[in-house]
Amino acid sequence: MHSRTLIRAVAVAASVAGLAGGTVAVASAHDHGTRSSRSWPQRLIDRSPDLVQPETLTVDRSIGERRAAQQVRLAQQLYTFWNTGQQKYLDAAVSPRFKDNTLPTGRPQGPAGPIFASANFRAAVPDLTCELSDVLVTGDKITARLVFRGHFTGTFNGVRGKGQSVDFNAIDIQRVGTDKIIEDWHIEDNQTLMSQLGVDN
């Protein structure tokens, strides 16, 4: 993980989180089932059992409830794709014109990129899960902190896993168009991941 890239990602996330003039509401997964679960922003969450649920959700009220709920659901669909590897969730979340602004070497551009990355990652970590730890919705942006977990029982770069645990973080910033995600910026803690896999970075 390059420090310059990390600094840029943090700077962008900070600017997104500025929320100048906006009113922010925060909810945590622990609020589910309480009175607050029926209030903003808990009511924005799609409780469908197949979708990942955000652990913590922060929403700028100024974008309006309908738009906010749309963006929260897009986040749930996108990260359910990463949690399951099922392409139908990616198709529901991202536009065919989707652009990856931090495209890693060797990964195809557009929606084919996440499909490629997920398949390769699951070849190494078949039981991969994606926890949607934090979601921030403001303007046309979704910022998410993710925790990926699993066990290296497959193969990565010619190295066969021995069942070692994988547990690392990532931060994404997604920009939403009229109805779907149209571009993103992302950074993963690859140094931790490669160390856990026992593979030279």
Side-chain angles (χ1 to χ4, degrees), residues 1 12 25 37-38 42 50 58 71 74 88 93-94 101 104 109 128 133 135 153 163 179 182-183 191:
M1 177 168 53
V12 173
S37 71
R38 297 186 295 276
Q42 280 289 330
D50 61 318
T58 306
Q71 293 187 197
L74 288 172
K88 66 180 181 179
V94 305
N101 291 296
Q109 185 55 271
L128 181 70
S133 299
V135 179
T153 57
D179 58 352
I182 56 175
E183 63 179 333
Q191 184 174 351

Side-chain angles (χ1 to χ4, degrees), residues 100 102-109 112-117 120:
D100 184 342
T102 46
L103 189 69
T105 302
R107 183 183 299 185
Q109 185 55 271
I115 295 168
F116 174 86
N120 282 351

Side-chain angles (χ1 to χ4, degrees), residues 178-196:
T178 303
D179 58 352
K180 291 191 176 184
I181 295 167
I182 56 175
E183 63 179 333
D184 81 345
W185 299 260
H186 56 92
I187 186 166
E188 297 80 28
D189 186 359
N190 287 323
Q191 184 174 351
T192 294
L193 173 60
M194 294 301 141
S195 175
Q196 292 172 348

